[in-house]
Amino acid sequence: MRAYIPSYQLVTPPSLGEALDVLAADNGVWRPFAGGTDLMVLLEAGKLPHKNYLNIWNLKELRGIEVTGQHVTLGGLTTYTEVQQEKVLQKEFPMLCQAASETGGLAIQNRGTLGGNIVNASPAADSPPALLAYDAELELRSHKGERWVPYHEFHTGYKQMIIRPDELLTRIRLPRVPGTLQHYYRKVGTRKAQAISKVCFAGTALVRDRTIDDLRIALGSVAPVPLRCVKTEEALRGSELNQTTIDRATAVLADEVVPIDDIRSTSNYRHRVSLNLLEDFLQQLRA
Ligand SMILES: Cc1cc2nc3c(=O)[nH]c(=O)nc-3n(C[C@H](O)[C@H](O)[C@H](O)COP(=O)(O)OP(=O)(O)OC[C@H]3O[C@@H](n4cnc5c(N)ncnc54)[C@H](O)[C@@H]3O)c2cc1C
């Protein structure tokens, strides 16, 4: 059943201040509409119950990529195409570029935004694992001011988040890491392009003298939220890279991921693939 279009409203505020005023005045009545690549699918399927949308596509405050000595900060409306084109992201945050290049086709990459991917809150989304592994922070802004929150605290349950109805996700900040960070990103889907993930794995590590100084591991499609695997990280941090360490970490990850069966895959398959990807990541670090 297709949606009845005249029952929907879309307003376009001219500035960020006015957009935030609208969100504050009618708490929860208006919801952001960015690239629309998630929302339009629901609309077409007649599954978009909420009727009032705030078009934020033209808000210049949510655009652009800023590079300082310590951070790379992306506007919430940064598209996948823009992510892939940015040199500093290609060099220092390649997993985000890879996630962007493997998200949908060109039309989706030109229109879909990182902010929309995060707030849509699908556990199967492709950029969240990379953002978690890079320890991203999010700027949430309302008419009262802004707050920065660590991304790993943002998702609290399936499609549940700490963002309030009067807030927009305005910026995404990535800390630049001195030293030689190693990156490992794998999206496992039904086919190589234009597939929704069955499992998505992102890992970063700093290895010195065959010892894991630091690392971060995040997975998609294995829990109700994009999952930062802190217990597995704990099991690995400070350890020597050998087969005993790898086996121990794999056993910890086996308890940490709790995938479900759905139309795209089975729990068993996702579980097995998650462990295989961890092993592959660690064997590559070892090599
Ligand atoms: C054919 C197709 C293929 C796709 N392939 C992939 C894929 O491979 N991997 C993947 O991860 N995703 C994929 N997607 C999903 C989608 O493209 C992404 O999730 C995209 O990043 C959503 O961004 P958007 O700007 O279009 O969000 P919208 O549809 O505009 O919004 C999505 C949600 O986020 C909210 N929102 C958006 N921006 C903000 C903001 N700044 N602040 C607060 N709330 C906000 C909206 O209110 C809405 O609830 C695909 C979609 C399609 C149609």
Side-chain angles (χ1 to χ4, degrees), residues 129-264:
L131 292 169
L132 285 171
Y134 287 135
D135 213 12
E137 297 166 297
L138 308 180
E139 183 190 57
L140 306 178
R141 187 180 281 256
S142 73
H143 69 299
K144 293 182 197 144
E146 80 278 346
R147 54 180 177 139
W148 281 98
V149 296
Y151 181 39
H152 64 86
E153 291 176 7
F154 183 74
H155 300 286
T156 54
Y158 180 69
K159 297 258 177 186
Q160 304 293 309
M161 292 152 275
I162 60 173
I163 191 168
R164 299 191 310 257
D166 66 340
E167 286 178 318
L168 284 175
L169 166 47
T170 38
R171 292 193 289 170
I172 301 148
R173 187 161 73 185
L174 303 170
R176 300 178 77 181
V177 178
T180 316
L181 199 61
Q182 307 207 45
H183 315 254
Y184 177 95
Y185 181 88
R186 293 287 183 282
K187 168 175 174 169
V188 178
T190 308
R191 49 185 190 219
K192 280 202 176 262
Q194 303 231 34
I196 299 177
S197 294
K198 292 171 190 269
V199 177
C200 180
F201 185 109
T204 56
L206 276 171
V207 178
R208 225 163 300 192
D209 300 329
R210 307 196 62 76
T211 299
I212 302 172
D213 261 11
D214 200 8
L215 91 165
R216 283 190 215 101
I217 294 168
L219 277 106
S221 293
V222 297
V225 295
L227 187 70
R228 172 103 181 258
C229 301
V230 284
K231 291 182 185 153
T232 308
E233 291 175 5
E234 264 318 293
L236 285 162
R237 208 167 274 121
S239 300
E240 193 184 328
L241 260 172
N242 54 36
Q243 194 57 47
T244 311
T245 300
I246 293 173
D247 292 342
R248 193 180 64 233
T250 308
V252 176
L253 187 69
D255 286 337
E256 201 165 22
V257 294
V258 194
I260 55 164
D261 291 322
D262 66 13
I263 49 163
R264 281 189 294 279

Side-chain angles (χ1 to χ4, degrees), residues 32 34-39 41 80 103-104 108 113 116-117 119 125-126 169 187:
T37 60
D38 278 312
L39 290 172
V41 172
Y80 298 110
T103 295
I108 294 297
T113 66
N117 202 223
V119 181
D126 292 316
L169 166 47
K187 168 175 174 169

